[in-house]
């Protein structure tokens, strides 16, 4: 069975040494992505075995450790680089303040960033619902 990207649906492959190459092959290489970043649970991808401060004790969405497979384009270009124009950042900052998720000075607590991450997910979820009406 052909493995396909969970977003754009393109055919994926796992040919060694082609990942991230600026070629059609590089762009269609399979790329695994965690729905909720491992770092939020105190695990580091880059430095295996090292522990960082966790943002979440438990996954708020109940999908800890779950992954999907995408093409390089959808994973590295699309999912990892959301576009915020200046007006978008201003609106986000307003929302953050409204929900008391702003911070004057950092503390040891990760509650505020956890809240901002949840807010950001809510924004994505509501946007998707709004755009997908059919
Ligand atoms: Zn894709």
């Amino acid at each position: 069975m052909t493995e396909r990207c969970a977003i754009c649906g393109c055919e994926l492959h796992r040919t060694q040494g082609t990942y991230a190459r600026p070629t059609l092959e590089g762009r269609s290489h399979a790329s695994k992505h965690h729905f909720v970043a491992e770092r939020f649970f105190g695990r580091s991808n880059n430095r295996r075995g090292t522990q960082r401060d966790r943002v979440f004790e438990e996954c708020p969405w109940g999908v800890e450790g779950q992954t999907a497979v995408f093409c390089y384009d959808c994973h590295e270009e699309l999912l990892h680089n959301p576009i915020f124009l200046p007006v978008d950042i201003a609106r986000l900052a307003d929302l953050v303040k409204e929900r008391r998720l702003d911070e004057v000075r950092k503390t040891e607590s990760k509650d505020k960033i956890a809240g901002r991450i949840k807010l950001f997910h809510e924004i994505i979820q509501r946007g998707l619902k709004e755009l997908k009406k059919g």
Side-chain angles (χ1 to χ4, degrees):
M1 217 184 101
T2 312
E3 191 178 23
R4 292 187 177 277
C5 171
I7 293 176
C8 77
C10 78
E11 278 185 36
L12 302 174
H13 67 88
R14 294 171 181 272
T15 311
Q16 250 186 352
T18 62
Y19 185 78
R21 289 257 177 87
T23 59
L24 298 182
E25 232 188 352
R27 294 171 49 206
S28 56
H29 195 289
S31 184
K32 193 172 82 171
H33 174 78
H34 283 89
F35 291 112
V36 182
E38 290 288 273
R39 62 187 291 149
F40 294 164
F41 306 108
R43 286 183 290 277
S44 172
N45 253 344
N46 305 335
R47 296 165 295 150
R48 275 201 195 289
T50 59
Q51 196 79 4
R52 57 166 79 223
D53 284 349
R54 68 187 65 192
V55 175
F56 299 118
E57 287 298 320
E58 256 179 49
C59 181
W61 306 280
V63 296
E64 181 174 349
Q66 290 184 32
T67 61
V69 178
F70 305 103
C71 66
Y72 175 86
D73 278 1
C74 286
H75 185 192
E76 299 295 345
E77 308 278 28
L78 178 67
L79 291 178
H80 283 187
N81 298 289
I83 305 299
F84 290 91
L85 300 180
V87 66
D88 303 323
I89 295 293
R91 284 181 182 141
L92 180 59
D94 275 353
L95 260 178
V96 161
K97 212 171 233 169
E98 234 176 71
R99 296 202 182 188
R100 296 170 196 250
L101 297 171
D102 55 325
E103 299 184 83
V104 175
R105 253 175 226 100
K106 296 294 182 207
T107 66
E108 293 300 315
S109 168
K110 296 276 184 114
D111 290 352
K112 298 267 186 169
I113 182 60
R116 294 193 297 272
I117 291 165
K118 288 195 261 187
L119 170 63
F120 190 37
H121 174 256
E122 185 185 335
I123 291 165
I124 293 166
Q125 200 171 41
R126 286 208 196 182
L128 288 169
K129 226 182 245 174
E130 174 68 24
L131 289 170
K132 181 74 184 106
K133 282 178 173 157

